[in-house]
Amino acid sequence: MTEIEHDIDPETGPGGTPAPEDETGQDDQGYTLDRRKVSAILYAVDAEDREELIAQMEPLHAADIADLLEQINAYDRRRLVLLYDLEFDGEILSELNESIREEVISLLTPGVLQDAVRELDSDDVVDLVEYLEEEQQEAVLDALEDSDRVAVEQALSYPEESAGRLMQREVVAVPEFWTVGQAIDMMREREDLPEQFYHVILIDPKMRPVAHVTLGKLMASPRRTALSEITEPGFRTIPAQQDEGDVAYAFNQYHIISAPVVDEDERLVGVITIDDAMIVLDEEHEEDIMRLAGVGEGNLNDRVSETLKQRLPWLAVNLLTAVLASLVISVFDETIAQFVALAVLMPIVASMGGNAGTQSLTVAVRAIATKDLTGSNVWRVIRRELAVGLLNGLAFALTMALLAILWFGNLQIALVLAVAMVINLAVAGLAGIGVPVLLDKLKVDPALASGTFVTTVTDVVGFFAFLGLAGLVLL
Amino acid sequence: MTEIEHDIDPETGPGGTPAPEDETGQDDQGYTLDRRKVSAILYAVDAEDREELIAQMEPLHAADIADLLEQINAYDRRRLVLLYDLEFDGEILSELNESIREEVISLLTPGVLQDAVRELDSDDVVDLVEYLEEEQQEAVLDALEDSDRVAVEQALSYPEESAGRLMQREVVAVPEFWTVGQAIDMMREREDLPEQFYHVILIDPKMRPVAHVTLGKLMASPRRTALSEITEPGFRTIPAQQDEGDVAYAFNQYHIISAPVVDEDERLVGVITIDDAMIVLDEEHEEDIMRLAGVGEGNLNDRVSETLKQRLPWLAVNLLTAVLASLVISVFDETIAQFVALAVLMPIVASMGGNAGTQSLTVAVRAIATKDLTGSNVWRVIRRELAVGLLNGLAFALTMALLAILWFGNLQIALVLAVAMVINLAVAGLAGIGVPVLLDKLKVDPALASGTFVTTVTDVVGFFAFLGLAGLVLL
């Protein structure tokens, strides 16, 4: 029952099968919906065979059913939801992507919607309704029992993306002076224990959490043990107003499993568990990646019009910066007219600068998000980026100079290209770290805006250095 | 003790304080090391005041101490570690970034190292040593007690980044026919219960896990209840050979808290808990972001030489593709010599294409990673990207044509620019989705390589379309 050592031969390792070859996560491993499953389900929908549909869907987790609904088209989705009817589970709604969620809710009859949402915990209902349009939000809230509705509305009164919205209100808390036996007896008697909980919270007479005890310790300790003797080290509470991103950061940084949420008077109002924090961490990452690429909130299920709305503004900003770079080029149009080689080579300088800048800025944006880039080390990191930029610049300056000599047989152009490359890669390193740090100081999300600024800098500096030097040297 | 409703006024919400303004996560909220703390610690190090150092470090979590060590420079780090000496905790090593970890381990005296690693769980030691150089790995393993050493070496015999490496070997498992009372008595008697566990695993006579029971349910049920009556739905086991990325995906997708790990004969060999899965999920995201930007494994603490080694190869690839684009331009050098406006405008076409392509490919790379882009919807998504590309292309074609007329007063150039823009943005949409899907089919990580391919396509197509059409129309 303790460590299991029965079947591992230290010589050959734990079995002869090789590691999965596929590193991209496409190795199905029984997780994803495979194509055959999707076909079988759509076939049942086509045949309007409700029993077959239910049989096919039965083994699927709600998260997989949600993925299925996201992957099929709107016409099939509608037919499937209508045929599935009363089998439709509240969990599926929770798992659905927001853009599809509204569509699916509008397909459900009031009776089905009521059954579906009544089986959810109040924090799941909050998550479900918080971004719905008002009319749909009302429809869901109306489907709840009165007491649940009050709980959900109270949760919605916390700011968006706060700990108060994330927490569950069902907690297991006992007076700090209780014993293990008292706590266990209370839990045996209580009928409405939360579905998932990992700690018993100890509270003082003013309802302030002072410590917590893991269920494992509780289980392993004699009944007469005082709870205060077996509390966990590193106990933390979370303010209800705290941003959910900071909550996720704390869970990840300190390996927290669950933590009580408190109001401004430090009184217990709920509890957040690691599974909720993991979802937030995942969303924050997703947001960072999407913002770095200028894709707003984009996802695969958005319609063409929504996707356009997300991407067009970003491209418009990029157009402005591209025109700015063109203006720089147009200053040197006479030089270019005389030496067309400049027009051929100039995109190389800009492209290398843009890439080097993106490298620096990505490392910087991540380091700011993980709180690893701080006042204590920012100057050291800036020096490092400058050094790396200069060294990369020198390496590529040599390469490019050789290339220019071989290609155009012109030493002067080679020299100009080399110098411009060093300048632009050094600037790229500095801008790559400087822009996100500055934006962060100005309370702008560096993931959102750094990219444009940095490539504008590298384009403008790249063209200006290359063409400007060329003008001086060649004319 | 159930839901807490004592202090929330539905009218005014749970308190009057506004949400934290800072959205970048820099709002300290007591989590990050602040600058003053770092200064105070470095001051104690300067003064060689060991007691003050210990007093300053005492309230810090091991994760924060690790961050501190990463943020200060190598000279201060050395002095701090030597002064801190026997206070040095094994957890700090676990939390340290790998590049700094080796350095710190080499600073520890054998005695300190031994104390530090002996207090860690075997899975933490595995995590600690798996990427150390052989000599250091030996030093750490030698510091362990024999039984722990065997456990660690057995774990290391699993493939890198597999569930077998991630799992802890300490499990709580009981025969499937036991009652609640028997399970609780066993736990009371057992002295070596794991630090953290959330389920009691039920196993059959062949040691195969068949179900599990949460500690909460165990606690709330009468002693005579059969464990088999209170098992959790949706029970899953994890093969020991499974890639840790797939493990993290499953935990996130199915909201798993802990799951048993099994060998090829389905026998129980360990357990993975959500906190470990969360760390992996975080690392996988980090890797995706870094790969998308072409920064390999980069982090803030790498030395200049390491950073160069990570970034230079990627820039070299970019240089090749930039030269390819230049070759396309050079085909049209005579056209450019006659119409310098082309040289001024051509980077705009390429830049817009590159940005639009990056948008599409980022959405596609994420969708592949989250298994949302599958055979069932890939064609629909490709059609959508093409439609978005065409529409964006038309919008910017109009804008650019107007701009070209105003700037150069040349209708033909405006027309060419507009057509090239539509072509390039449509191609960007197609390449942005097509390249990652194709790479994934070829078992290459799309995050790693898509960017270069897509921008090469948009550069080449952009220059070719713009300059080629110009040659046809203008000459």
Side-chain angles (χ1 to χ4, degrees), chain A residues 1 7 14 24-26 64 71 95 158 173 254-255 263 282 285-286 294 311 326 344 359 366 371 380 385, chain B residues 1 7 14 24-25 64 71 95 158 173 254-255 263 282 285-286 294 311 326 344 359 366 371 380 385 440:
Chain A
M1 225 78 64
D7 61 340
T24 61
Q26 280 298 286
D64 290 330
Q71 284 171 26
E95 301 284 351
Y158 285 97
Y254 302 124
H255 316 302
D263 64 14
D282 194 47
H285 273 294
E286 185 83 17
R311 298 193 192 169
S326 290
V344 173
Q359 289 180 331
R366 285 300 303 151
K371 303 181 201 268
R380 202 167 67 254
E385 290 297 331
Chain B
M1 224 81 62
D7 59 341
T24 62
D64 290 331
Q71 284 172 24
E95 301 284 353
Y158 285 97
Y254 303 124
H255 315 303
D263 64 16
D282 194 47
H285 273 293
E286 184 86 16
R311 298 193 193 170
S326 291
V344 173
Q359 289 180 331
R366 286 301 304 152
K371 304 180 201 273
R380 201 168 67 254
E385 289 298 330
D440 184 53

Short mmCIF file of all heavy atoms in Angstrom, two decimals, chain A residues 1 7 14 24-26 64 71 95 158 173 254-255 263 282 285-286 294 311 326 344 359 366 371 380 385, chain B residues 1 7 14 24-25 64 71 95 158 173 254-255 263 282 285-286 294 311 326 344 359 366 371 380 385 440:
data_model
loop_
_atom_site.label_atom_id
_atom_site.label_comp_id
_atom_site.label_asym_id
_atom_site.label_seq_id
_atom_site.Cartn_x
_atom_site.Cartn_y
_atom_site.Cartn_z
N MET A 1 0.82 -1.22 0.00
CA MET A 1 0.00 0.00 0.00
C MET A 1 0.85 1.27 0.00
O MET A 1 0.37 2.34 -0.23
CB MET A 1 -0.87 0.01 1.25
CG MET A 1 -2.30 0.41 0.96
SD MET A 1 -3.22 -0.95 0.26
CE MET A 1 -3.20 -2.12 1.62
N ASP A 7 6.85 -3.99 -10.12
CA ASP A 7 6.98 -4.38 -11.52
C ASP A 7 8.00 -3.56 -12.30
O ASP A 7 7.97 -3.54 -13.51
CB ASP A 7 5.64 -4.26 -12.19
CG ASP A 7 5.16 -2.84 -12.12
OD1 ASP A 7 5.67 -2.09 -11.25
OD2 ASP A 7 4.33 -2.47 -12.92
N PRO A 14 10.68 0.71 -16.99
CA PRO A 14 9.32 0.27 -16.73
C PRO A 14 8.60 -0.13 -17.99
O PRO A 14 7.59 0.44 -18.34
CB PRO A 14 8.68 1.49 -16.11
CG PRO A 14 9.44 2.63 -16.71
CD PRO A 14 10.82 2.14 -17.01
N THR A 24 3.26 16.74 -30.78
CA THR A 24 2.40 17.89 -30.99
C THR A 24 1.09 17.78 -30.24
O THR A 24 0.26 18.66 -30.33
CB THR A 24 2.06 18.05 -32.48
OG1 THR A 24 1.35 16.87 -32.88
CG2 THR A 24 3.31 18.20 -33.31
N GLY A 25 0.94 16.71 -29.48
CA GLY A 25 -0.30 16.57 -28.75
C GLY A 25 -1.43 16.04 -29.62
O GLY A 25 -2.57 16.01 -29.21
N GLN A 26 -1.12 15.61 -30.83
CA GLN A 26 -2.17 15.10 -31.70
C GLN A 26 -2.35 13.60 -31.52
O GLN A 26 -3.25 13.01 -32.09
CB GLN A 26 -1.83 15.40 -33.16
CG GLN A 26 -2.16 16.81 -33.55
CD GLN A 26 -3.63 17.11 -33.43
OE1 GLN A 26 -4.45 16.70 -34.23
NE2 GLN A 26 -4.02 17.83 -32.40
N ASP A 64 -16.02 16.99 -23.89
CA ASP A 64 -15.89 16.46 -25.25
C ASP A 64 -17.14 16.77 -26.07
O ASP A 64 -17.05 17.07 -27.26
CB ASP A 64 -15.65 14.95 -25.22
CG ASP A 64 -14.26 14.61 -24.69
OD1 ASP A 64 -13.35 15.43 -24.89
OD2 ASP A 64 -14.10 13.54 -24.08
N GLN A 71 -17.11 21.89 -33.08
CA GLN A 71 -16.47 21.49 -34.33
C GLN A 71 -17.44 21.32 -35.50
O GLN A 71 -17.06 21.49 -36.65
CB GLN A 71 -15.68 20.18 -34.12
CG GLN A 71 -14.37 20.42 -33.38
CD GLN A 71 -13.69 19.13 -32.98
OE1 GLN A 71 -13.88 18.09 -33.61
NE2 GLN A 71 -12.89 19.18 -31.94
N GLU A 95 -19.00 24.08 -20.44
CA GLU A 95 -17.77 23.80 -21.18
C GLU A 95 -17.72 24.49 -22.53
O GLU A 95 -16.66 24.61 -23.13
CB GLU A 95 -17.63 22.28 -21.40
CG GLU A 95 -17.60 21.45 -20.13
CD GLU A 95 -16.25 21.54 -19.43
OE1 GLU A 95 -15.31 22.10 -20.00
OE2 GLU A 95 -16.16 21.05 -18.28
N TYR A 158 -19.67 41.09 -7.71
CA TYR A 158 -18.21 41.31 -7.65
C TYR A 158 -17.72 41.77 -9.01
O TYR A 158 -18.36 41.49 -10.02
CB TYR A 158 -17.49 40.02 -7.25
CG TYR A 158 -17.63 39.67 -5.79
CD1 TYR A 158 -18.59 38.76 -5.36
CD2 TYR A 158 -16.79 40.26 -4.84
CE1 TYR A 158 -18.73 38.45 -4.02
CE2 TYR A 158 -16.92 39.94 -3.50
CZ TYR A 158 -17.89 39.04 -3.09
OH TYR A 158 -18.03 38.74 -1.77
N ALA A 173 -16.11 25.16 7.05
CA ALA A 173 -15.34 25.93 8.01
C ALA A 173 -15.80 25.58 9.42
O ALA A 173 -16.98 25.35 9.65
CB ALA A 173 -15.54 27.43 7.77
N TYR A 254 2.83 29.18 -5.69
CA TYR A 254 2.95 28.61 -4.34
C TYR A 254 2.32 27.22 -4.24
O TYR A 254 2.18 26.70 -3.15
CB TYR A 254 2.33 29.56 -3.32
CG TYR A 254 2.96 30.93 -3.35
CD1 TYR A 254 2.20 32.07 -3.55
CD2 TYR A 254 4.34 31.07 -3.22
CE1 TYR A 254 2.79 33.31 -3.60
CE2 TYR A 254 4.94 32.31 -3.28
CZ TYR A 254 4.16 33.43 -3.47
OH TYR A 254 4.76 34.66 -3.53
N HIS A 255 1.94 26.63 -5.37
CA HIS A 255 1.39 25.28 -5.38
C HIS A 255 0.23 25.15 -4.38
O HIS A 255 0.19 24.23 -3.57
CB HIS A 255 2.47 24.25 -5.08
CG HIS A 255 3.75 24.53 -5.82
ND1 HIS A 255 3.79 24.60 -7.19
CD2 HIS A 255 4.99 24.79 -5.39
CE1 HIS A 255 5.02 24.88 -7.57
NE2 HIS A 255 5.77 25.02 -6.51
N ASP A 263 -13.43 39.01 2.51
CA ASP A 263 -13.84 40.37 2.17
C ASP A 263 -12.87 41.37 2.81
O ASP A 263 -11.85 40.98 3.37
CB ASP A 263 -15.29 40.61 2.59
CG ASP A 263 -15.48 40.54 4.10
OD1 ASP A 263 -14.47 40.57 4.84
OD2 ASP A 263 -16.63 40.43 4.54
N ASP A 282 -4.81 29.00 -17.88
CA ASP A 282 -4.89 28.62 -19.28
C ASP A 282 -5.43 29.78 -20.13
O ASP A 282 -4.90 30.09 -21.19
CB ASP A 282 -5.81 27.39 -19.38
CG ASP A 282 -5.71 26.70 -20.72
OD1 ASP A 282 -4.58 26.48 -21.18
OD2 ASP A 282 -6.76 26.39 -21.30
N HIS A 285 -2.86 32.61 -20.50
CA HIS A 285 -1.84 32.27 -21.49
C HIS A 285 -2.36 32.46 -22.90
O HIS A 285 -1.71 33.03 -23.77
CB HIS A 285 -1.44 30.80 -21.33
CG HIS A 285 -0.36 30.57 -20.34
ND1 HIS A 285 0.91 31.04 -20.53
CD2 HIS A 285 -0.34 29.93 -19.16
CE1 HIS A 285 1.67 30.68 -19.49
NE2 HIS A 285 0.92 30.01 -18.65
N GLU A 286 -3.57 31.93 -23.11
CA GLU A 286 -4.22 32.03 -24.40
C GLU A 286 -4.30 33.50 -24.81
O GLU A 286 -3.98 33.86 -25.95
CB GLU A 286 -5.64 31.45 -24.25
CG GLU A 286 -6.44 31.35 -25.50
CD GLU A 286 -6.10 30.10 -26.29
OE1 GLU A 286 -5.52 29.17 -25.71
OE2 GLU A 286 -6.43 30.07 -27.48
N GLY A 294 -1.71 39.81 -32.22
CA GLY A 294 -2.71 40.77 -32.70
C GLY A 294 -4.00 40.13 -33.11
O GLY A 294 -4.58 40.47 -34.14
N ARG A 311 -9.58 41.13 -36.29
CA ARG A 311 -8.26 41.24 -36.92
C ARG A 311 -8.04 42.54 -37.66
O ARG A 311 -6.91 43.01 -37.77
CB ARG A 311 -8.07 40.06 -37.88
CG ARG A 311 -8.12 38.75 -37.16
CD ARG A 311 -7.62 37.63 -38.03
NE ARG A 311 -7.94 36.34 -37.43
CZ ARG A 311 -7.81 35.18 -38.07
NH1 ARG A 311 -7.36 35.18 -39.32
NH2 ARG A 311 -8.10 34.05 -37.47
N SER A 326 7.45 53.35 -45.06
CA SER A 326 7.54 53.74 -46.47
C SER A 326 7.94 55.21 -46.62
O SER A 326 8.66 55.57 -47.54
CB SER A 326 6.18 53.53 -47.15
OG SER A 326 5.93 52.17 -47.28
N VAL A 344 16.67 46.09 -53.32
CA VAL A 344 16.69 44.64 -53.20
C VAL A 344 17.09 44.21 -51.79
O VAL A 344 16.53 43.28 -51.22
CB VAL A 344 17.65 44.03 -54.25
CG1 VAL A 344 17.83 42.53 -54.03
CG2 VAL A 344 17.16 44.32 -55.66
N GLN A 359 11.96 38.45 -30.79
CA GLN A 359 12.56 37.52 -29.82
C GLN A 359 12.71 38.19 -28.46
O GLN A 359 12.27 37.66 -27.43
CB GLN A 359 13.94 37.08 -30.32
CG GLN A 359 13.91 36.15 -31.52
CD GLN A 359 15.30 35.73 -31.99
OE1 GLN A 359 16.27 36.47 -31.81
NE2 GLN A 359 15.39 34.55 -32.58
N ARG A 366 6.84 37.71 -21.42
CA ARG A 366 6.63 36.56 -20.55
C ARG A 366 7.21 36.83 -19.16
O ARG A 366 6.60 36.48 -18.14
CB ARG A 366 7.30 35.31 -21.12
CG ARG A 366 6.57 34.71 -22.28
CD ARG A 366 5.17 34.30 -21.92
NE ARG A 366 5.15 33.37 -20.80
CZ ARG A 366 4.15 33.25 -19.93
NH1 ARG A 366 3.10 34.02 -20.03
NH2 ARG A 366 4.20 32.38 -18.98
N LYS A 371 6.26 37.81 -13.42
CA LYS A 371 6.88 38.64 -12.37
C LYS A 371 8.35 38.32 -12.17
O LYS A 371 8.88 38.42 -11.06
CB LYS A 371 6.11 38.48 -11.05
CG LYS A 371 4.62 38.83 -11.19
CD LYS A 371 3.88 38.68 -9.88
CE LYS A 371 2.38 38.52 -10.09
NZ LYS A 371 1.61 39.74 -10.08
N ARG A 380 20.17 44.84 -15.71
CA ARG A 380 21.04 43.75 -16.14
C ARG A 380 20.47 43.10 -17.42
O ARG A 380 21.22 42.78 -18.35
CB ARG A 380 21.18 42.70 -15.04
CG ARG A 380 22.44 41.87 -15.22
CD ARG A 380 22.81 41.03 -14.01
NE ARG A 380 21.85 39.98 -13.76
CZ ARG A 380 20.97 39.97 -12.78
NH1 ARG A 380 20.91 40.98 -11.92
NH2 ARG A 380 20.14 38.97 -12.61
N GLU A 385 20.40 42.21 -23.37
CA GLU A 385 19.74 42.28 -24.68
C GLU A 385 20.57 43.11 -25.65
O GLU A 385 20.67 42.79 -26.84
CB GLU A 385 18.33 42.87 -24.54
CG GLU A 385 17.34 41.96 -23.83
CD GLU A 385 17.07 40.66 -24.59
OE1 GLU A 385 17.18 40.65 -25.82
OE2 GLU A 385 16.78 39.65 -23.92
N MET B 1 -22.27 27.61 8.66
CA MET B 1 -21.18 26.78 8.17
C MET B 1 -21.40 26.40 6.69
O MET B 1 -20.51 25.92 6.05
CB MET B 1 -21.11 25.51 9.00
CG MET B 1 -19.70 25.15 9.39
SD MET B 1 -19.17 26.10 10.82
CE MET B 1 -20.32 25.56 12.06
N ASP B 7 -22.60 38.97 4.91
CA ASP B 7 -22.07 40.33 4.78
C ASP B 7 -22.16 40.91 3.38
O ASP B 7 -21.49 41.86 3.05
CB ASP B 7 -20.62 40.34 5.21
CG ASP B 7 -19.80 39.41 4.38
OD1 ASP B 7 -20.40 38.52 3.73
OD2 ASP B 7 -18.60 39.56 4.35
N PRO B 14 -20.31 43.53 -2.80
CA PRO B 14 -19.51 43.11 -1.66
C PRO B 14 -18.40 44.09 -1.33
O PRO B 14 -17.24 43.76 -1.38
CB PRO B 14 -18.92 41.78 -2.15
CG PRO B 14 -18.82 41.97 -3.63
CD PRO B 14 -19.92 42.87 -4.04
N THR B 24 -1.86 44.23 -15.59
CA THR B 24 -0.69 43.53 -16.12
C THR B 24 -0.13 42.54 -15.13
O THR B 24 0.86 41.89 -15.40
CB THR B 24 0.41 44.53 -16.46
OG1 THR B 24 0.78 45.19 -15.25
CG2 THR B 24 -0.06 45.52 -17.47
N GLY B 25 -0.74 42.41 -13.98
CA GLY B 25 -0.21 41.47 -13.00
C GLY B 25 0.95 42.05 -12.22
O GLY B 25 1.62 41.34 -11.49
N ASP B 64 9.59 32.16 -3.80
CA ASP B 64 10.03 33.56 -3.82
C ASP B 64 11.54 33.66 -3.64
O ASP B 64 12.20 34.50 -4.25
CB ASP B 64 9.32 34.36 -2.73
CG ASP B 64 7.85 34.55 -3.05
OD1 ASP B 64 7.51 34.59 -4.25
OD2 ASP B 64 7.05 34.65 -2.11
N GLN B 71 16.93 36.73 -9.70
CA GLN B 71 16.95 38.15 -10.07
C GLN B 71 18.26 38.85 -9.75
O GLN B 71 18.62 39.83 -10.40
CB GLN B 71 15.79 38.89 -9.38
CG GLN B 71 14.46 38.60 -10.06
CD GLN B 71 13.29 39.16 -9.29
OE1 GLN B 71 13.43 40.12 -8.52
NE2 GLN B 71 12.14 38.58 -9.46
N GLU B 95 12.47 24.90 -6.94
CA GLU B 95 11.80 26.03 -7.57
C GLU B 95 12.71 26.78 -8.53
O GLU B 95 12.24 27.56 -9.35
CB GLU B 95 11.31 27.02 -6.49
CG GLU B 95 10.34 26.43 -5.49
CD GLU B 95 8.93 26.26 -6.06
OE1 GLU B 95 8.70 26.71 -7.18
OE2 GLU B 95 8.10 25.64 -5.39
N TYR B 158 11.90 6.01 -16.67
CA TYR B 158 10.81 6.34 -17.59
C TYR B 158 11.30 7.37 -18.60
O TYR B 158 12.24 8.12 -18.31
CB TYR B 158 9.60 6.90 -16.83
CG TYR B 158 8.83 5.84 -16.07
CD1 TYR B 158 9.06 5.63 -14.73
CD2 TYR B 158 7.87 5.07 -16.71
CE1 TYR B 158 8.37 4.66 -14.02
CE2 TYR B 158 7.16 4.09 -16.02
CZ TYR B 158 7.41 3.89 -14.68
OH TYR B 158 6.72 2.94 -13.99
N ALA B 173 -3.98 3.28 -1.68
CA ALA B 173 -4.83 2.37 -2.43
C ALA B 173 -5.33 1.28 -1.50
O ALA B 173 -4.61 0.84 -0.60
CB ALA B 173 -4.05 1.75 -3.58
N TYR B 254 -10.70 17.74 -18.46
CA TYR B 254 -11.69 16.98 -17.69
C TYR B 254 -11.72 17.38 -16.21
O TYR B 254 -12.34 16.71 -15.40
CB TYR B 254 -11.43 15.48 -17.83
CG TYR B 254 -11.45 15.03 -19.27
CD1 TYR B 254 -10.37 14.38 -19.83
CD2 TYR B 254 -12.55 15.31 -20.08
CE1 TYR B 254 -10.38 13.99 -21.17
CE2 TYR B 254 -12.57 14.93 -21.41
CZ TYR B 254 -11.49 14.27 -21.95
OH TYR B 254 -11.50 13.91 -23.26
N HIS B 255 -11.02 18.47 -15.86
CA HIS B 255 -11.04 18.96 -14.49
C HIS B 255 -10.70 17.85 -13.49
O HIS B 255 -11.39 17.64 -12.49
CB HIS B 255 -12.39 19.58 -14.16
CG HIS B 255 -12.89 20.48 -15.24
ND1 HIS B 255 -12.16 21.55 -15.69
CD2 HIS B 255 -14.00 20.44 -16.00
CE1 HIS B 255 -12.82 22.13 -16.68
NE2 HIS B 255 -13.94 21.48 -16.89
N ASP B 263 0.96 0.90 -15.43
CA ASP B 263 1.92 0.36 -16.40
C ASP B 263 1.16 -0.33 -17.54
O ASP B 263 -0.07 -0.25 -17.61
CB ASP B 263 2.91 -0.57 -15.72
CG ASP B 263 2.23 -1.80 -15.14
OD1 ASP B 263 1.07 -2.09 -15.50
OD2 ASP B 263 2.85 -2.49 -14.30
N ASP B 282 1.66 25.08 -17.67
CA ASP B 282 2.34 26.37 -17.71
C ASP B 282 3.60 26.29 -18.58
O ASP B 282 3.85 27.16 -19.42
CB ASP B 282 2.71 26.76 -16.27
CG ASP B 282 3.12 28.21 -16.15
OD1 ASP B 282 2.42 29.07 -16.70
OD2 ASP B 282 4.15 28.47 -15.51
N HIS B 285 2.72 26.01 -22.35
CA HIS B 285 2.33 27.31 -22.88
C HIS B 285 3.55 28.17 -23.15
O HIS B 285 3.69 28.80 -24.19
CB HIS B 285 1.45 28.04 -21.88
CG HIS B 285 0.00 27.71 -22.01
ND1 HIS B 285 -0.74 28.06 -23.09
CD2 HIS B 285 -0.83 27.07 -21.18
CE1 HIS B 285 -1.98 27.65 -22.93
NE2 HIS B 285 -2.07 27.04 -21.78
N GLU B 286 4.42 28.21 -22.15
CA GLU B 286 5.66 28.98 -22.24
C GLU B 286 6.43 28.55 -23.49
O GLU B 286 6.90 29.38 -24.27
CB GLU B 286 6.49 28.68 -20.99
CG GLU B 286 7.77 29.46 -20.86
CD GLU B 286 7.53 30.80 -20.21
OE1 GLU B 286 6.45 31.00 -19.61
OE2 GLU B 286 8.41 31.66 -20.34
N GLY B 294 10.41 32.20 -32.00
CA GLY B 294 11.74 31.75 -32.37
C GLY B 294 12.77 31.98 -31.28
O GLY B 294 13.88 32.44 -31.53
N ARG B 311 19.14 32.20 -30.06
CA ARG B 311 18.46 33.09 -31.00
C ARG B 311 19.10 33.12 -32.38
O ARG B 311 18.42 33.34 -33.38
CB ARG B 311 18.43 34.51 -30.43
CG ARG B 311 17.64 34.57 -29.15
CD ARG B 311 17.35 35.98 -28.76
NE ARG B 311 16.87 36.05 -27.38
CZ ARG B 311 16.72 37.17 -26.71
NH1 ARG B 311 17.04 38.32 -27.28
NH2 ARG B 311 16.28 37.16 -25.48
N SER B 326 14.47 38.84 -51.29
CA SER B 326 15.29 39.79 -52.04
C SER B 326 15.52 39.32 -53.47
O SER B 326 15.56 40.13 -54.40
CB SER B 326 16.64 40.00 -51.35
OG SER B 326 16.45 40.68 -50.15
N VAL B 344 9.20 52.12 -52.63
CA VAL B 344 8.65 52.76 -51.44
C VAL B 344 7.45 51.97 -50.91
O VAL B 344 7.28 51.79 -49.70
CB VAL B 344 8.24 54.22 -51.76
CG1 VAL B 344 7.50 54.84 -50.59
CG2 VAL B 344 9.47 55.04 -52.13
N GLN B 359 -1.50 36.27 -37.73
CA GLN B 359 -2.79 36.16 -37.04
C GLN B 359 -3.40 34.77 -37.27
O GLN B 359 -3.78 34.08 -36.31
CB GLN B 359 -3.76 37.23 -37.56
CG GLN B 359 -3.40 38.66 -37.13
CD GLN B 359 -4.39 39.68 -37.65
OE1 GLN B 359 -4.99 39.48 -38.71
NE2 GLN B 359 -4.55 40.77 -36.94
N ARG B 366 -2.69 27.41 -31.82
CA ARG B 366 -3.38 27.21 -30.54
C ARG B 366 -4.48 26.16 -30.67
O ARG B 366 -4.65 25.33 -29.79
CB ARG B 366 -4.01 28.53 -30.06
CG ARG B 366 -3.04 29.52 -29.52
CD ARG B 366 -2.27 28.97 -28.34
NE ARG B 366 -3.16 28.51 -27.28
CZ ARG B 366 -2.85 27.56 -26.42
NH1 ARG B 366 -1.69 26.93 -26.51
NH2 ARG B 366 -3.68 27.21 -25.49
N LYS B 371 -6.43 20.74 -29.37
CA LYS B 371 -7.18 19.70 -30.06
C LYS B 371 -8.56 20.19 -30.52
O LYS B 371 -9.52 19.42 -30.59
CB LYS B 371 -7.34 18.45 -29.16
CG LYS B 371 -5.99 17.89 -28.69
CD LYS B 371 -6.15 16.66 -27.82
CE LYS B 371 -4.94 16.41 -26.95
NZ LYS B 371 -3.88 15.63 -27.57
N ARG B 380 -13.77 23.71 -42.97
CA ARG B 380 -14.58 24.89 -42.67
C ARG B 380 -13.69 26.05 -42.22
O ARG B 380 -13.87 27.20 -42.60
CB ARG B 380 -15.63 24.56 -41.60
CG ARG B 380 -16.77 25.54 -41.64
CD ARG B 380 -17.96 25.12 -40.81
NE ARG B 380 -17.70 25.12 -39.40
CZ ARG B 380 -17.53 24.03 -38.65
NH1 ARG B 380 -17.58 22.84 -39.19
NH2 ARG B 380 -17.31 24.14 -37.37
N GLU B 385 -10.77 31.23 -43.12
CA GLU B 385 -9.55 32.04 -43.20
C GLU B 385 -9.42 32.68 -44.58
O GLU B 385 -8.99 33.83 -44.70
CB GLU B 385 -8.33 31.16 -42.91
CG GLU B 385 -8.21 30.72 -41.45
CD GLU B 385 -8.04 31.89 -40.49
OE1 GLU B 385 -7.46 32.92 -40.89
OE2 GLU B 385 -8.49 31.78 -39.34
N ASP B 440 1.80 19.76 -38.64
CA ASP B 440 1.30 18.85 -37.62
C ASP B 440 1.12 17.45 -38.19
O ASP B 440 1.43 16.46 -37.54
CB ASP B 440 -0.03 19.40 -37.08
CG ASP B 440 -0.56 18.54 -35.96
OD1 ASP B 440 0.21 18.30 -35.00
OD2 ASP B 440 -1.71 18.10 -36.03
#
